[in-house]
Each structure stands twice: as C-alpha cells, then as structure tokens.
Amino acid sequence: MAKVPSAVVAASGLVGGYGVARWTRKRELGGAVLVVAGAAAARQWRQQAGGKAAGALTAAYVAGFAGSHPLAKKVGAWPAVFGVAGAVALASWAVADRRG
C-alpha cells in the first residue's frame, strides 16, 4: 500500500477539519478531524525527520489552525484555510517528505 505523504495528511487535516465543522455545524467533530490528522502527520514527521523537526512542524500545524481565524476576517474562511494548509504542506514537504 502506498504511503500518503505527510504534507497531504497535514493539509487534509486543516481543510477537512474546517469542512467537517462547517458542514455539520459541530465544531467538536471538526476538531476531532484536525487532531487525528495532526497526530498522524506528527508521527510521520518524527519517523522521517526526527523529533525536533516533528515538534517544529506540529507547532506550524497548530499555528496554521490558529492563524487561519484572524486571516479569515481579511480574506474569507475558505481562502484562509487553503492558504494555511498550503503553507503547512509546503513546510512538511520541505522538512520531511522531500527526504523520502
């Protein structure tokens, strides 16, 4: 079975978490998607790039989630979510996926 790149897992967690929260109107479900995908990505980051890199990428993932909220007030919700998801995916690829 082909391995899904951590960049895809992380971006999917951010986009999917928002989408689930928005469409179900249950923020808790969106949060669950966000956490599960973030944990899966963090596990891959640690395996591929080590603990320090995994910590930094996890911090970027959380910062992307938090940063999308004020950004959404300026550019809209979906553009903000896609923007931070893209930034986290790019960082993930550069630090962890590119090596594999």
Side-chain angles (χ1 to χ4, degrees), residues 29-64:
L29 290 177
V33 170
L34 182 78
V35 168
V36 168
R43 182 173 180 263
Q44 285 184 259
W45 293 329
R46 184 171 183 160
Q47 289 174 345
Q48 294 170 338
K52 287 183 183 180
L57 288 168
T58 300
Y61 184 82
V62 173

Side-chain angles (χ1 to χ4, degrees), residues 13-43:
L14 290 162
V15 172
Y18 175 69
V20 167
R22 182 172 176 139
W23 290 315
T24 65
R25 296 186 177 165
K26 298 198 183 297
R27 294 176 70 177
E28 305 82 24
L29 290 177
V33 170
L34 182 78
V35 168
V36 168
R43 182 173 180 263

